[in-house]
Short mmCIF file of all heavy atoms in Angstrom, two decimals:
data_model
loop_
_atom_site.label_atom_id
_atom_site.label_comp_id
_atom_site.label_asym_id
_atom_site.label_seq_id
_atom_site.Cartn_x
_atom_site.Cartn_y
_atom_site.Cartn_z
N GLU A 257 -101.19 48.12 -97.75
CA GLU A 257 -100.15 48.90 -97.09
C GLU A 257 -99.34 49.69 -98.14
O GLU A 257 -99.04 50.88 -97.93
CB GLU A 257 -99.21 47.98 -96.32
CG GLU A 257 -98.22 48.71 -95.44
CD GLU A 257 -97.41 47.76 -94.59
OE1 GLU A 257 -97.98 46.80 -94.01
OE2 GLU A 257 -96.18 47.99 -94.50
N LEU A 258 -99.03 49.07 -99.25
CA LEU A 258 -98.26 49.76 -100.30
C LEU A 258 -99.08 50.85 -100.96
O LEU A 258 -98.65 52.01 -101.04
CB LEU A 258 -97.79 48.75 -101.38
CG LEU A 258 -97.10 49.34 -102.60
CD1 LEU A 258 -95.82 50.07 -102.21
CD2 LEU A 258 -96.81 48.26 -103.63
N VAL A 259 -100.29 50.53 -101.43
CA VAL A 259 -101.09 51.53 -102.13
C VAL A 259 -101.55 52.66 -101.22
O VAL A 259 -101.77 53.78 -101.67
CB VAL A 259 -102.29 50.91 -102.89
CG1 VAL A 259 -101.82 49.97 -103.99
CG2 VAL A 259 -103.26 50.23 -101.96
N GLY A 260 -101.62 52.38 -99.92
CA GLY A 260 -102.00 53.41 -98.98
C GLY A 260 -100.95 54.49 -98.80
O GLY A 260 -101.23 55.56 -98.24
N THR A 261 -99.72 54.22 -99.23
CA THR A 261 -98.62 55.19 -99.08
C THR A 261 -98.34 55.99 -100.36
O THR A 261 -97.43 56.80 -100.38
CB THR A 261 -97.31 54.48 -98.66
OG1 THR A 261 -96.92 53.60 -99.72
CG2 THR A 261 -97.51 53.70 -97.37
N LEU A 262 -99.10 55.72 -101.41
CA LEU A 262 -98.83 56.36 -102.71
C LEU A 262 -100.00 57.22 -103.14
O LEU A 262 -101.14 56.77 -103.17
CB LEU A 262 -98.53 55.30 -103.75
CG LEU A 262 -97.31 54.43 -103.49
CD1 LEU A 262 -97.31 53.19 -104.37
CD2 LEU A 262 -96.04 55.24 -103.70
N THR A 263 -99.71 58.44 -103.52
CA THR A 263 -100.74 59.37 -103.99
C THR A 263 -100.30 59.95 -105.34
O THR A 263 -99.15 60.39 -105.47
CB THR A 263 -100.95 60.52 -102.99
OG1 THR A 263 -101.30 59.96 -101.73
CG2 THR A 263 -102.05 61.46 -103.45
N ILE A 264 -101.19 59.93 -106.29
CA ILE A 264 -100.90 60.49 -107.60
C ILE A 264 -101.17 62.00 -107.58
O ILE A 264 -102.23 62.43 -107.15
CB ILE A 264 -101.74 59.79 -108.68
CG1 ILE A 264 -101.28 58.33 -108.79
CG2 ILE A 264 -101.63 60.52 -110.01
CD1 ILE A 264 -102.13 57.48 -109.68
N ALA A 265 -100.20 62.74 -108.05
CA ALA A 265 -100.34 64.20 -108.17
C ALA A 265 -100.10 64.55 -109.63
O ALA A 265 -99.10 64.14 -110.22
CB ALA A 265 -99.34 64.91 -107.27
N LEU A 266 -101.03 65.28 -110.22
CA LEU A 266 -100.88 65.69 -111.62
C LEU A 266 -100.07 66.97 -111.68
O LEU A 266 -100.31 67.92 -110.92
CB LEU A 266 -102.24 65.87 -112.25
CG LEU A 266 -103.14 64.63 -112.18
CD1 LEU A 266 -104.50 64.92 -112.77
CD2 LEU A 266 -102.50 63.47 -112.90
N ARG A 267 -99.08 66.98 -112.59
CA ARG A 267 -98.16 68.12 -112.68
C ARG A 267 -97.99 68.56 -114.11
O ARG A 267 -98.28 67.81 -115.04
CB ARG A 267 -96.79 67.70 -112.11
CG ARG A 267 -96.87 67.22 -110.67
CD ARG A 267 -95.53 66.82 -110.11
NE ARG A 267 -94.93 65.70 -110.82
CZ ARG A 267 -93.61 65.55 -110.97
NH1 ARG A 267 -92.77 66.45 -110.51
NH2 ARG A 267 -93.12 64.51 -111.60
N PRO A 268 -97.48 69.76 -114.32
CA PRO A 268 -97.25 70.23 -115.68
C PRO A 268 -96.25 69.33 -116.42
O PRO A 268 -95.29 68.83 -115.79
CB PRO A 268 -96.66 71.64 -115.51
CG PRO A 268 -96.97 72.04 -114.10
CD PRO A 268 -97.13 70.76 -113.32
N PRO A 269 -96.42 69.12 -117.71
CA PRO A 269 -95.52 68.25 -118.46
C PRO A 269 -94.04 68.63 -118.34
O PRO A 269 -93.19 67.73 -118.27
CB PRO A 269 -96.00 68.39 -119.90
CG PRO A 269 -97.43 68.80 -119.77
CD PRO A 269 -97.53 69.62 -118.53
N VAL A 270 -93.74 69.92 -118.30
CA VAL A 270 -92.32 70.30 -118.24
C VAL A 270 -91.67 69.85 -116.93
O VAL A 270 -90.49 69.47 -116.91
CB VAL A 270 -92.12 71.82 -118.47
CG1 VAL A 270 -92.45 72.20 -119.89
CG2 VAL A 270 -92.91 72.65 -117.49
N ALA A 271 -92.41 69.86 -115.83
CA ALA A 271 -91.88 69.39 -114.55
C ALA A 271 -91.66 67.87 -114.59
O ALA A 271 -90.64 67.37 -114.10
CB ALA A 271 -92.83 69.76 -113.41
N VAL A 272 -92.61 67.18 -115.15
CA VAL A 272 -92.50 65.70 -115.23
C VAL A 272 -91.34 65.32 -116.16
O VAL A 272 -90.57 64.43 -115.86
CB VAL A 272 -93.84 65.10 -115.74
CG1 VAL A 272 -93.72 63.58 -115.85
CG2 VAL A 272 -94.97 65.47 -114.80
#
Side-chain angles (χ1 to χ4, degrees):
E257 189 175 317
L258 174 62
V259 296
T261 64
L262 297 165
T263 303
I264 293 173
L266 303 177
R267 303 181 297 147
V270 292
V272 179

